[in-house]
């Protein structure tokens, strides 16, 4: 009886260790996400680039927010989560750059 309990406990411990190791490996393989704010006029081009890139790098997922550059600028000024901003005009990019410089000073 003692041997059966010891075997069952050992088996349970091995299953738990395997499950933890498997979960750790699975979580480290999760895909990364890149949040891109871009002018609506770039929708087709950026979707094509993302599709092509994902063929070789499936671990990176793109999340696009396409809109007018002015609307995107306003969202960024209101602390929207974004990794890359691609504007159709320099005006919005320069305005964001200036406001960043003023915040740093």
């Amino acid at each position: 009886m003692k041997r059966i309990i010891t075997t069952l406990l050992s088996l349970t411990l091995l299953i738990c260790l395997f499950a933890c190791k498997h979960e750790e490996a699975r979580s480290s393989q999760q895909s990364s996400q890149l949040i891109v704010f871009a002018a609506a006029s770039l929708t087709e081009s950026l979707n094509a680039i993302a599709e092509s890139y994902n063929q070789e790098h499936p671990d990176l997922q793109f999340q696009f927010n396409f809109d007018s550059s002015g609307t995107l600028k306003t969202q960024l000024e209101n602390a929207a989560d974004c990794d890359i901003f691609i504007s159709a005009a320099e005006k919005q990019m320069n305005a964001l750059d200036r406001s960043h410089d003023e915040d740093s000073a």
Side-chain angles (χ1 to χ4, degrees):
M1 182 71 162
K2 187 176 182 181
R3 185 175 182 167
I4 293 173
I5 292 174
T6 304
T7 303
L8 287 174
L9 287 174
S10 297
L11 183 59
T12 303
L13 180 61
L14 286 173
I15 291 170
C16 288
L17 288 172
F18 176 78
C20 290
K21 190 72 167 171
H22 179 69
E23 183 64 28
E24 181 181 295
R26 210 177 81 173
S27 66
S28 67
Q29 293 174 353
Q30 288 180 348
S31 63
S32 298
Q33 186 178 54
L34 189 65
I35 302 171
V36 181
F37 280 32
S41 60
L42 300 172
T43 302
E44 189 176 333
S45 300
L46 289 177
N47 280 326
I49 290 169
E51 186 178 324
S52 176
Y53 188 85
N54 283 140
Q55 289 176 358
E56 291 185 37
H57 306 279
D59 56 324
L60 179 64
Q61 299 302 312
F62 292 89
Q63 179 184 336
F64 290 110
N65 179 11
F66 295 109
D67 211 324
S68 71
S69 297
T71 300
L72 296 172
K73 174 187 163 287
T74 301
Q75 291 175 3
L76 291 170
E77 289 172 331
N78 290 304
D81 193 18
C82 174
D83 297 309
I84 298 175
F85 173 51
I86 306 172
S87 177
E90 287 184 45
K91 177 182 173 184
Q92 287 78 18
M93 290 179 23
N94 291 340
L96 284 173
D97 192 36
R98 277 192 300 279
S99 68
H100 175 72
D101 290 342
E102 292 168 4
D103 291 341
S104 300

